[in-house]
């Protein structure tokens, strides 16, 4: 994805001063232009290639790209309209849009119009605007969604099903290793309760029976010094809903959280959809140096530096967001480190949000997880908020369950408001209650089996990586490994990272790339290994094949470069 | 709830000019003061009375009120801080707050401080601010939630359970008449499927199998001219989530929808939580006049007038929101009326959102429901969006299911983004699929029984109302009657309406009052009759008793007034 301006005409200096009163609008427009250009390139590449998906899926994919183009167009037009005051005519040739916001026809007629037709006037822009039924916010959301979930949507249309053609998804963090155990447990008779209170509206914080069970469960597995209080638990439909609600009630729009990078990309989408909270990266480096005793080490110095820089820029930082065990690194924070981070938060009046969604997915017996809830005394109990859910540890992301635990009654009360639009169904709450309640099954059957299988698949994948001489972090927790593919990028840029990512997709393998985790260094990928061994073998085959192709591509490219010089 | 300023000192003109640079801040502050005063009065009334709830519940209620007071205080302090520029000292005596934002201690010390202590300076306000852990937005949300769901939360703490002490809820629109049928159906073996795709992340629009079934279901029950397309269906966790998502993608913040009043209060909460979309009331009147052939009649003239007035005020109206069958009126729009409303929307480039959540709850055989989806040709198909869910028609609000049907691919795509934070669990989606699929059971067992029971309970309640000589609308649809208690208010104001509402609550009966439906005329209440006959009898007893008490109160009040003259 190069950034050359060879497809679309750019506004000239004259037009700029006529049309756009504001430098920031100009900058935004430029960025949109660049994005539009990239999307157009992708689109044309895809329509020209032979269909790779099943016919209907392909048509759907094409349709979505067309719609996206239309929307991006609308967004630009809207922005331009902001810049137009007093009915100024616009001198800039732009493709016309039909009522669906379809850019294709416009693209085709553009060159001829540039030569022999009058330039479009404001009415054209109005027509384009009327062609878009979404608000500006709606266009933004649509663009954000498409760019965040493009691969995932392709996967939903074309899943691998024990034949060779579909996409294998090692990009989404799901544990598919214990579906057999979970299914068997969920089919037992104690699960199938349909009481009338489950059918009706609930306490928006979640049913009391479930909040009580969550409190007992976390008391036990987090080894808390005292019993947790169900009144401090709020249940919503997933951990991202909990994070979104926290961002809404702890921050005003434009305020910020500090988040060490690389971090889970879902936080970015979530913080943008509603809360409009900025996630300020605390950049960690892969190299071991004086300050870094291990790759991507988080230190209080780095937190402080990021905080000071943010404050210098006038940003209002309200909190620190940590994930422990970390995603995508797999790091498990020591008790001392954790305490340091929390003391840093207290020192600067920051809320600390700790996402412990992988707490039971520590499969290496030599690694010990410490929940913040296990601390004898929290540095700032009133500003420490813990998130946990069953999506990862029990491999049931489809259950839509996330829980907040906070000692802060005000925060718990405010987050409860979100139950109205983010609650999970009563029958699901009941099954979760039964599941969490069955401590014997969890301790004696589920966890040992799950950890064994995680170890086995981790062992298989890391052995493959070693054979391919690919560096990776070996941390013993989570459902993924963080791998270093820098040597396959030339030059080592995010553009090349994206191209390699696309090459994996072309080989029907979905990974997730470092850029979506806000990683500072190009070339890192997250590979999920918590998948069925048979599928994992096919996936690693595709992985190895893609890297083979990439190697050939690099050799050709370097040869060409050498010949140019 | 009077609005006398006898509890708190108000800022003097001097202070106002010193502290508050902006008239709008002053107005906001005044409003907040009035709210705070009311809340304080309620609070002191409650703490002085003997506990009416079980002890723990009572403590919880008290706690919540305390927390609310603290939050309101914080909100005022924040606002004041906005008005303070350049470190100006504040001359206005205000109660101090402890770190929990607790106003009680402050209230006690206030009078002495006014007499012999120095006035608090800015540092006091800073301390108060630091005592609140929520953002300004968080405080707003907390206050909005508490004021919207105060009664509902009381009901959750103290439900009637076949004994005389708990609250009976005829305020929340739920159908509790067919729990037996639904439970039996949901316990059948075909429901209990735990396939692995149900356990994992889904297509964010909802599982394809469910979207297909929703399309088939609506094709059949809405009598559509052609088969509906599953690609036009988006499934979220409840109809309010769908409405919220539509408001997000069709409007920018501050833009508006027209909504005829009285309308469902949940829309108000929903439009405020995220979308910040204004709901502009199209006020309907109860009196029959030249323009009104029946009470609360909606006409295009009224829609146009409301639209013009809004535009004159510079408001940007993006859509028209209708509920059909109407809530709380029970009106079922004729095909011709519906067409006129939709043509009005088209004429003014408005989106039309039609909420048909009560479409199968038309129990009077002489009334026919017409879905907008049944029209041979929609006036503006690309801007017509239909919402439906199973909460009301199947009495399973706890399932958290709402569906959007729209021909507009852009809108469907944009609304899909919200599946990430508003999806319902896979196992629930499967049960819904099975339920909607069982057309034979629905047509031969469920609907006939449900309609019969609705007719019977409606007959019982309306007979009671007639005996009490209380006017009501008799519409033959929905789960509620809209009743006129004006003659029990003296004077006929919303303050007196609230007092009567409180009297019902004191008698352990929850209704919902017209004010929360934005009704223009005080004195109307919505009474839900879709409840078990035994509970309904106790409820109507409490209803009649409350009105008896109210009558005594009115007589005393009128006597007192007469003696004053």
């Amino acid at each position: 994805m190069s950034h050359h301006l060879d497809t679309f005409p750019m506004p000239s200096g004259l037009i700029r001063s006529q049309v756009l009163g504001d430098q920031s609008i100009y900058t935004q427009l430029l960025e949109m232009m660049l994005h539009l250009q990239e999307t157009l390139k992708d689109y044309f590449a895809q329509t020209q290639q032979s269909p790779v998906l099943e016919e209907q899926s392909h048509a759907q994919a094409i349709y979505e790209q067309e719609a996206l183009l239309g929307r991006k167009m609308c967004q630009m037009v809207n922005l331009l309209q902001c810049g137009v005051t007093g009915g100024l005519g616009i001198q800039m040739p732009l493709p016309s849009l039909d009522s669906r916001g379809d850019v294709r026809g416009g693209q085709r007629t553009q060159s001829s119009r540039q030569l022999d037709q009058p330039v479009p006037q404001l009415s054209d822009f109005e027509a384009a605007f009327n062609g878009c039924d979404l608000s500006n916010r709606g266009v933004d959301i649509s663009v954000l969604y498409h760019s965040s979930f493009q691969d995932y949507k392709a996967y939903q249309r074309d899943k691998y099903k024990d034949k060779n053609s579909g996409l294998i998804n090692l990009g989404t963090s799901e544990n598919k290793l214990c579906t057999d155990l979970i299914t068997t447990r969920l089919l037992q008779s104690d699960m199938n309760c349909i009481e009338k209170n489950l059918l009706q509206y609930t306490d928006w914080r979640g049913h009391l029976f479930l909040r009580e069970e969550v409190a007992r469960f976390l008391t036990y597995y987090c080894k808390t010094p005292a019993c947790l209080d169900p009144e401090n638990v709020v249940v919503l439909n997933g951990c991202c809903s909990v994070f979104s609600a926290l961002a809404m009630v702890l921050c005003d729009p434009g305020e910020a959280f500090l988040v060490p990078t690389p971090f889970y990309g879902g936080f970015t989408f979530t913080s943008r959809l509603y809360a409009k909270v900025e996630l300020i990266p605390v950049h960690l480096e892969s190299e071991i140096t004086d300050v870094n005793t291990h790759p991507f080490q988080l230190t209080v110095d780095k937190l402080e530096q990021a905080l000071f820089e943010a404050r210098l820029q006038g940003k209002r930082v309200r909190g620190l967001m940590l994930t422990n065990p970390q995603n995508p690194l797999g790091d498990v924070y020591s008790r001392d480190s954790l305490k340091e981070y929390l003391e840093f938060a207290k020192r600067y009046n920051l809320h600390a949000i700790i996402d412990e969604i992988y707490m039971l997915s520590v499969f290496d017996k030599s690694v010990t997880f410490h929940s913040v809830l296990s601390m004898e005394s929290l540095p700032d109990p009133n500003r420490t908020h813990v998130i946990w859910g069953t999506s990862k540890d029990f491999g049931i992301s489809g259950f839509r369950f996330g829980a907040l635990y906070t000692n802060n009654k005000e925060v718990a009360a405010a987050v409860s408001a979100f139950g109205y639009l983010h609650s999970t169904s009563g029958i699901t709450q009941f099954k979760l209650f039964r599941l969490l309640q069955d401590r014997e099954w969890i301790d004696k059957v589920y966890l040992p089996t799950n950890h064994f299988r995680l170890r086995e698949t981790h062992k298989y994948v890391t052995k493959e990586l070693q054979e391919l001489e690919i560096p990776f972090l070996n941390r013993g927790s989570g459902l993924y490994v963080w791998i270093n593919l820098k040597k396959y990028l030339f030059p080592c840029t995010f553009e090349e990272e994206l191209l390699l990512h696309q090459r994996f997709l072309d080989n029907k393998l979905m990974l997730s790339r470092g850029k979506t985790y806000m990683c500072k260094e190009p070339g890192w990928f997250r590979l999920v290994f918590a998948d069925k061994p048979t599928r994992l073998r096919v996936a690693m085959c595709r992985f190895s094949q893609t890297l083979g192709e990439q190697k050939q591509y690099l050799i050709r490219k370097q040869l060409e470069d050498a010949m140019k010089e």
Side-chain angles (χ1 to χ4, degrees), chain A residues 2 80 92 112 167 254 270 292 310 333 365 379 412 453 564:
Chain A
S2 66
L80 273 170
M92 192 171 88
S112 59
L167 256 170
T270 302
N292 296 335
Y333 297 132
K365 287 177 180 170
R453 292 179 183 176
K564 274 184 207 158

Side-chain angles (χ1 to χ4, degrees), chain A residues 160-164 168-170 176-177 453 456-457 460-461 464 509 528-542:
Chain A
Y160 176 83
K161 287 182 193 103
D162 300 324
K163 50 174 181 154
N164 231 16
I168 299 182
N169 181 356
L170 302 187
K176 295 171 183 167
L177 290 172
R453 292 179 183 176
E456 289 297 301
T457 47
Y460 165 70
V461 162
E464 292 284 308
L509 179 62
V528 174
F529 60 81
D531 210 332
K532 279 187 180 169
T534 50
R535 195 158 41 210
L536 213 48
R537 272 194 290 276
V538 181
M540 290 312 287
C541 226
R542 293 177 182 181

Side-chain angles (χ1 to χ4, degrees), chain A residues 109-240:
Chain A
T109 59
Q110 191 197 349
S111 57
S112 59
R113 171 177 273 176
Q114 271 179 307
L115 293 173
D116 48 69
Q117 284 182 16
V119 290
Q121 299 300 310
L122 194 62
S123 59
D124 282 47
F125 288 88
E126 279 173 345
F129 180 80
N130 287 336
C132 180
D133 290 312
L134 300 179
S135 60
N136 291 321
R137 173 170 65 185
V139 172
D140 286 341
I141 289 168
S142 211
V143 170
L144 173 66
Y145 177 57
H146 186 84
S147 62
S148 305
F149 290 95
Q150 197 165 9
D151 299 344
Y152 181 72
K153 282 155 81 182
Y155 164 69
Q156 286 294 336
R157 282 193 299 267
D158 180 34
K159 287 185 187 180
Y160 176 83
K161 287 182 193 103
D162 300 324
K163 50 174 181 154
N164 231 16
S165 77
L167 256 170
I168 299 182
N169 181 356
L170 302 187
T172 306
S173 176
E174 290 194 294
N175 185 344
K176 295 171 183 167
L177 290 172
C178 291
T179 316
D180 55 338
L181 295 183
I182 291 283
T183 304
T184 309
R185 184 64 193 86
L186 289 173
L187 283 170
Q188 281 176 27
S189 61
D190 64 332
M191 286 284 172
N192 204 15
C193 166
I194 309 283
E195 276 177 11
K196 64 178 190 295
N197 70 324
L198 301 178
L199 303 181
Q200 292 163 11
Y201 289 119
T202 169
D203 183 332
W204 295 121
R205 295 175 294 172
H207 280 288
L208 179 60
F209 62 77
L210 179 57
R211 286 186 290 117
E212 283 173 346
E213 197 51 52
V214 168
R216 279 192 290 266
F217 185 91
L218 295 179
T219 298
Y220 178 75
Y221 286 104
C222 295
K223 301 184 180 67
T224 66
C227 284
L228 298 181
D229 182 356
E231 293 300 305
N232 296 349
V233 175
V234 183
V235 167
L236 298 179
N237 67 336
C239 290
C240 271

Side-chain angles (χ1 to χ4, degrees), chain A residues 265-315:
Chain A
F267 293 143
T268 307
F269 180 80
T270 302
S271 65
R272 286 187 193 166
L273 186 66
Y274 286 130
K276 306 291 175 199
V277 164
E278 188 184 355
L279 303 184
I280 295 177
V282 181
H283 284 302
L284 310 183
E285 304 88 32
S286 62
E287 254 183 77
I288 295 176
T289 61
D290 286 353
V291 279
N292 296 335
T293 58
H294 62 262
F296 297 103
Q297 174 157 15
L298 177 62
T299 63
V300 169
D301 277 353
K302 290 177 194 168
L303 289 171
E304 272 178 343
Q305 197 186 332
L307 178 64
F308 292 153
E309 278 170 17
R311 288 193 173 169
L312 270 179
Q313 289 169 45
K315 292 178 179 174

